[in-house]
Amino acid sequence: MRGGVKIKYPIKTLIAVAAPVISLDLVTKELVMRLMVYGQSIPVVPGFFNLVYYKNPGAAFSVFSSGGALRTLFLIGSSVIALAVIAVLLRQSAGRWMTIALSLIAGGAAGNLIDRVRFGWVVDFLDIYAGGSHWPAFNVADSAITIGVGMALINHYLAGKKSQG
């Protein structure tokens, strides 16, 4: 290859998957912050789905929601460590499915990390519920992480089945 750096497959996939996740996450959060009032809820599918505007200072399911600056530093540090681990795993990734899974997780982790660094909290705006039972509000980054983890678990399960013959 002339005049340039050859980019390896996992890095191309990481960029192709994580960049749109980060972009969509940041744009949707910005729209929520600009167009909604904090605490506001807009029914989209009555009885099932609302758009909301919440500030989550904690982690998933509002774990670690108290603790101030130390909590924020811990969550930022945890995100940076998680991204470093993902980078190592990507270098060792055996296939496209796992590379996409890790890229989704990385994109989601980076999207939420950007919020934590900027604000000290993460914007959550998707509210799924049935009757009075609400799933904790979440965002695009959380969705990408969940899908990526699901894909990784399926990959791990299928790899185990393959090795058993």
Side-chain angles (χ1 to χ4, degrees), residues 59-136:
F61 308 113
S62 294
V63 174
F64 301 123
S65 58
S66 61
L70 284 177
R71 171 211 56 234
T72 302
L73 288 173
F74 171 76
L75 293 172
I76 288 171
S78 297
S79 296
V80 170
I81 290 168
L83 287 168
V85 169
I86 290 168
V88 170
L89 293 173
L90 273 170
R91 291 186 61 121
Q92 301 170 352
S93 180
R96 184 176 298 267
W97 183 266
M98 186 57 97
T99 300
I100 292 169
L102 292 170
S103 298
L104 283 166
I105 296 167
N112 281 339
L113 176 60
I114 291 167
D115 269 11
R116 283 195 199 294
V117 170
R118 287 174 57 197
F119 309 121
W121 39 264
V122 172
V123 175
D124 286 331
F125 60 91
L126 301 169
D127 177 33
I128 294 177
Y129 63 99
S133 300
H134 287 253
W135 186 258

Side-chain angles (χ1 to χ4, degrees), residues 10-26 83 86 90 99-111 114 140-141 144:
I11 300 304
K12 286 182 183 178
T13 301
L14 173 66
I15 293 166
V17 173
V21 167
I22 295 166
S23 298
L24 183 60
D25 182 59
L26 295 177
L83 287 168
I86 290 168
L90 273 170
T99 300
I100 292 169
L102 292 170
S103 298
L104 283 166
I105 296 167
I114 291 167
V140 172

Side-chain angles (χ1 to χ4, degrees), residues 139-152:
N139 57 45
V140 172
D142 298 333
S143 300
I145 292 167
T146 301
I147 292 166
V149 168
M151 289 175 66

